[in-house]
């Protein structure tokens, strides 16, 4: 998978995702920081289940156990691994349905590997593994309800689409292909086999429109953040700028094979942190 705040799709365990998340979260007050690391820990644990090489039946059972644990948390009987979440759920009004949506998103990869989903399925996947994380996060950040949900919608999709474009080759090694079926067919690619698709000369015709879709989500999320308190959007703005930089590097590199990995330079990362962490 490939999301960072959100990853898989989300890739909560990658070095890049971990570093940008940590940089964004360490600037928060203690109670917010603790809540965000709890959300991150939850995402990481269910992501690890979905991405493991264990039998699919066992992974499905493990994810179902997480659903049961979330239900128990909200019934007032948290299991040991969620006892620390009680205070954050109460203080920030974290929603049960958002935790469960994340589990549902991770589960989409388990019965069988995702390969060339239709656009509606891809959008649902992005909502579950990225925007649901955002809906939890914006409550911690203290954004107003309506703008918080909007920001989660647009920034979550921007981050996830960027992850998908960044991790095309890595996902293919796992037998997964998140590029939408409609875009593949429009480019004349009829296969859904990841190894064949990533070698197609027409692949840029699939990826560039998806990159523009991600850019549009970044632009809308910027508009939302610009009209809210600067301190409330410091953390999401840092992640947005970091991932927007990744997207720009991907577009500049292009999507023809062979594709060298892109990395945001240390200078750029420091500049983003200095500019937006101390607003």
């Amino acid at each position: 998978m490939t999301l960072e705040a959100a990853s898989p799709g989300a890739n909560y365990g990658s070095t890049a995702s971990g570093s940008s998340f940590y940089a964004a979260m360490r600037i928060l007050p203690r109670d917010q920081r603790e809540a965000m690391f709890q959300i991150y820990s939850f995402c990481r644990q269910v992501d690890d289940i979905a991405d493991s090489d264990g039998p699919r039946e066992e992974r499905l059972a493990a994810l179902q156990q997480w659903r049961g644990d979330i239900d128990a948390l909200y019934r007032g009987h948290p299991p040991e691994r969620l006892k620390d979440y009680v205070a954050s759920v109460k203080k920030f009004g974290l929603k049960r349905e958002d935790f469960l949506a994340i589990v549902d998103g991770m589960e989409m990869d388990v019965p069988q590997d995702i390969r060339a989903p239709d656009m509606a399925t891809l959008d649902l996947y992005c909502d579950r593994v990225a925007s649901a994380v955002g809906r939890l996060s914006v409550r911690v950040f203290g954004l107003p309800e309506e703008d918080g949900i909007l920001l989660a919608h647009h920034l979550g999709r921007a981050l996830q689409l960027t992850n998908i474009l960044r991790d095309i080759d890595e996902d293919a090694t796992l037998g997964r292909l998140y590029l939408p079926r409609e875009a593949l067919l429009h480019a004349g690619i009829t296969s859904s086999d990841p190894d064949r698709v990533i070698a197609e000369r027409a692949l840029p015709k699939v990826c560039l429109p998806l990159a523009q879709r991600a850019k549009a989500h970044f632009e809308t999320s910027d508009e939302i953040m610009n009209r809210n308190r600067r301190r409330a959007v410091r953390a999401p703005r840092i992640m947005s700028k970091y991932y927007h930089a990744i997207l720009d590097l991907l577009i500049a590199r292009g999507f023809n094979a062979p594709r060298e990995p892109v990395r945001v330079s240390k200078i750029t990362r420091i500049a983003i942190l200095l500019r937006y962490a101390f607003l």
Side-chain angles (χ1 to χ4, degrees), residues 24-38:
M25 296 309 121
R26 66 184 300 182
I27 66 172
L28 296 171
R30 181 176 178 178
D31 56 347
Q32 291 180 319
R33 185 170 65 248
E34 289 181 352
M36 286 305 302
F37 276 108
Q38 288 165 358

Side-chain angles (χ1 to χ4, degrees), residues 30 53 62 85 97 114 118 122 137 140 149 155 193 217 231 269:
R30 181 176 178 178
D53 57 3
Y85 287 58
E97 56 264 32
I114 290 182
D118 60 46
L122 176 62
S137 302
V140 175
I149 291 174
L155 186 54
D193 178 81
H217 283 302
R231 290 187 65 83
R269 295 198 305 268

Side-chain angles (χ1 to χ4, degrees), residues 94-114:
L94 305 182
K95 300 293 187 182
R96 167 183 171 273
E97 56 264 32
D98 293 325
F99 282 110
L100 293 177
I102 295 167
V103 179
D104 291 342
M106 302 304 174
E107 191 178 69
M108 290 175 73
D109 271 314
V110 177
Q112 59 185 14
D113 295 318
I114 290 182

Side-chain angles (χ1 to χ4, degrees), residues 2 13 17 31 37 53-56 101 135 138 152 156-158 179 201 228 232 249 253-254 256 259 278-279:
T2 51
S17 292
D31 56 347
F37 276 108
D53 57 3
R56 295 183 188 272
R135 290 192 290 272
V138 293
R157 282 160 170 80
L179 300 176
R201 294 181 63 183
N228 280 278
L249 289 171
R253 180 205 64 187
N256 282 311
R259 289 169 288 275
F278 306 106
L279 294 173

Side-chain angles (χ1 to χ4, degrees), residues 186-208:
H186 185 73
I189 301 174
T190 57
S191 175
S192 62
D193 178 81
D195 290 329
R196 291 184 60 182
V197 171
I198 65 173
E200 288 278 357
R201 294 181 63 183
L203 192 63
K205 295 180 181 178
V206 180
C207 296
L208 287 173

